[in-house]
Amino acid sequence: MTATNSPVCVQATDAADQPERTPQLEALYRDFERQLLVPLWTEIGELMPTHPLSQARPHRWRWKDLLPMAEQAGQLVPVGRGGERRAIALANPGLGGQPFATPTLWAAIQYLNPQEDAPVHRHTQNAFRFVVEGEGVWTVVNGDSVAMRRGDFLPQAGWHWHGHHNRSEGAMAWIDGLDIPFQHYTDATFFEFGPDQAVTRAAPERSDSERLWAHPGLRPLTHLQPTPATPLLAYRWEHTDRALAEQLALEAEGHTATVEPGHAAVRYTNPTTGGDVLPTLRAEFHRLAPDTTTAAHREVGSSVFQVFDGAGEITVGQTRWTVERGDLFVVPSWQALTLATEAGLDLFRFTDAPILERLHLHRSHHEGAQA
C-alpha cells in the first residue's frame, strides 16, 4: 500500500504542541500512512477531550410535521417483506445523515393503516413502543397479544418474535425506540424473518404478561429468577398518571416525593430485578407542574424526549425551543438541559444510561450541586 491510496492521513502542522515540521518528520508520517498507523500526538485533542464532545446536536422534531408525512407514507409505502415496518427514523443533523437520533439511540415514528398487519420478525436489538395518541393496534410478542393505547409504554427485549396488527378502522402512529446504533457500531446485530402475519389476531383487554406480572409489589412464585429484561410487556398509562399525580400531591402536603420542586418523575422497571426494563435502554416519565422550571442538568450519555401533553420551553446547551404535544427532541451527551412550563408539561424520556452505568462511565451534574 502506498501513502497516496492509504485511508490513513497524518498531517504535520506548525502547532505549538506538535513536533518541529521537518522533511524527516514528513517522511515518517508517509511511512505511518503506508503501514496504517496513526500517532496519538496528532489525534489526542479529539480522542481525549476534557469533557464529552458529542457529534450529535440538540434538535427538535415537530409532531405536527411528522404525522402528516407518516400519513402520506401510509398511502404510498406498503408494509411487507423487505421494508418490514413503515418506520421513519429521526436523523440527528450532526451524524452525517445516518438514521440515528444519537450515537447510541434510534427513534422513529411508525404508522399502521386500518386492518393492516406488520409481519413477524426478531432481532437482537432491544426495543419499545410508546403511544402518544390513538388505539386499536395489538403487538404480538412471542405469541402474547398486547393492546397499545395512548400513554402506554411497551418494552420488548431483543430476539423476541413480534408483529403488529391493527384491528380498528383508523390508522395509528407511535414512536419506536431501539439500541440500533449501539449494536450497529459494536457489530452485534442478528436479524431473522418470521411469518407474514402474527400467530394470533386475538385482541384481549389484558395480555398474558400483564395477568402474570402487573400486580404492584407481587411476584409469582413460579418465576423467581431474575431476567435481563422485563417480562411485563405493557406499562399502562393509568398507573403512570396516578404515580405522577400522587408525587405532586404529596409534595403539596409537605412530603419529600419529587426530584425537585414541581417536578415528578418515575422510571419503568423490571419487576424481576428492580433495575431498568431493558439491558441497554432506560425509560422514564416526567411531569412538571404549572409554573415550574428545572435546574440545569447534564449527564454522560444521550436521551430522547417526547412531549406527551402540555407545552413548555426546552433549553439544551445553547439551543432553545418551545414544544407541544407529540414533539420529540434530543439531548446529546453532557449538554445542559433545562425544562420550563407555565401550564404544565408531561414528557416521556429514554436514554442509554444502562450501558454507561455498567461500564462505570456514567456521570451527571445538577446546577448548584458541588462538582
Side-chain angles (χ1 to χ4, degrees):
M1 178 175 291
T2 66
T4 56
N5 63 15
S6 171
V8 172
C9 180
V10 184
Q11 295 287 338
T13 70
D14 296 320
D17 61 349
Q18 292 298 302
E20 182 183 356
R21 192 172 182 178
T22 64
Q24 292 84 358
L25 184 69
E26 293 282 6
L28 177 62
Y29 283 3
R30 302 296 80 74
D31 286 341
F32 283 166
E33 292 172 357
R34 280 187 285 271
Q35 296 300 324
L36 302 179
L37 300 170
V38 180
L40 176 61
W41 59 84
T42 64
E43 305 293 327
I44 191 168
E46 292 187 8
L47 292 177
M48 297 182 180
T50 56
H51 58 81
L53 298 173
S54 179
Q55 291 186 1
R57 299 178 195 166
H59 194 75
R60 175 201 57 191
W61 290 264
R62 289 286 202 187
W63 188 250
K64 66 182 181 182
D65 297 327
L66 297 180
L67 189 56
M69 289 187 288
E71 292 171 345
Q72 187 175 14
Q75 299 170 8
L76 301 175
V77 181
V79 172
R81 287 305 183 209
E84 290 293 296
R85 299 288 186 264
R86 192 183 291 109
I88 307 161
L90 309 185
N92 189 288
L95 299 180
Q98 295 184 100
F100 302 156
T102 81
T104 53
L105 301 175
W106 163 285
I109 177 174
Q110 186 172 161
Y111 193 84
L112 205 62
N113 283 318
Q115 302 298 320
E116 192 171 46
D117 285 65
V120 177
H121 62 214
R122 65 177 178 175
H123 41 70
T124 49
Q125 290 93 343
N126 297 291
F128 70 81
R129 284 158 283 285
F130 178 74
V131 185
V132 74
E133 59 186 59
E135 60 180 56
V137 170
W138 272 256
T139 183
V140 182
V141 181
N142 283 350
D144 191 4
S145 195
V146 188
M148 296 172 58
R149 309 181 190 98
R150 172 168 160 78
D152 292 347
F153 169 69
L154 304 110
Q156 173 212 297
W159 214 236
H160 283 46
W161 294 109
H162 57 285
H164 318 309
H165 59 88
N166 189 344
R167 299 280 301 230
S168 75
E169 296 304 317
M172 186 171 166
W174 61 89
I175 66 161
D176 291 333
L178 295 92
D179 59 3
I180 291 175
F182 171 73
Q183 293 206 28
H184 175 75
Y185 287 134
T186 54
D187 293 332
T189 296
F190 290 86
F191 181 95
E192 189 174 343
F193 292 115
D196 289 343
Q197 293 184 334
V199 296
T200 176
R201 290 188 64 81
E205 182 71 15
R206 299 173 70 238
S207 63
D208 292 346
S209 79
E210 292 169 87
R211 294 172 65 190
L212 188 61
W213 287 103
H215 307 287
L218 301 173
R219 183 169 179 175
L221 291 182
T222 51
H223 295 72
L224 293 178
Q225 294 300 312
T227 58
T230 177
L232 179 58
L233 298 177
Y235 293 69
R236 298 300 181 190
W237 169 242
E238 57 264 30
H239 306 304
T240 307
D241 183 36
R242 187 178 305 121
L244 295 163
E246 295 288 15
Q247 284 188 21
L248 291 173
L250 285 166
E251 178 190 73
E253 295 164 17
H255 301 289
T256 301
T258 54
V259 292
E260 56 187 327
H263 180 184
V266 294
R267 181 174 298 168
Y268 301 96
T269 61
N270 177 347
T272 75
T273 64
D276 288 298
V277 285
L278 296 166
T280 54
L281 299 173
R282 173 169 295 168
E284 299 174 344
F285 204 102
H286 294 250
R287 173 169 291 171
L288 270 62
D291 298 316
T292 295
T293 298
T294 68
H297 174 71
R298 66 178 76 218
E299 65 180 338
V300 173
S302 55
S303 59
V304 178
F305 286 78
Q306 184 171 36
V307 179
F308 181 69
D309 216 348
E313 185 174 86
I314 311 300
T315 305
V316 182
Q318 302 302 310
T319 305
R320 182 173 296 174
W321 319 284
T322 57
V323 294
E324 58 189 11
R325 176 169 164 165
D327 291 353
L328 295 116
F329 62 91
V330 163
V331 182
S333 184
W334 211 243
Q335 294 272 336
L337 168 68
T338 304
L339 312 171
T341 182
E342 294 181 357
L345 183 63
D346 277 3
L347 292 161
F348 171 78
R349 175 196 188 216
F350 73 102
T351 84
D352 53 13
I355 301 171
L356 295 158
E357 289 178 357
R358 283 185 176 85
L359 296 173
H360 302 284
L361 294 174
H362 187 265
R363 184 181 299 191
S364 64
H365 178 70
H366 284 269
E367 184 179 80
Q370 192 171 14

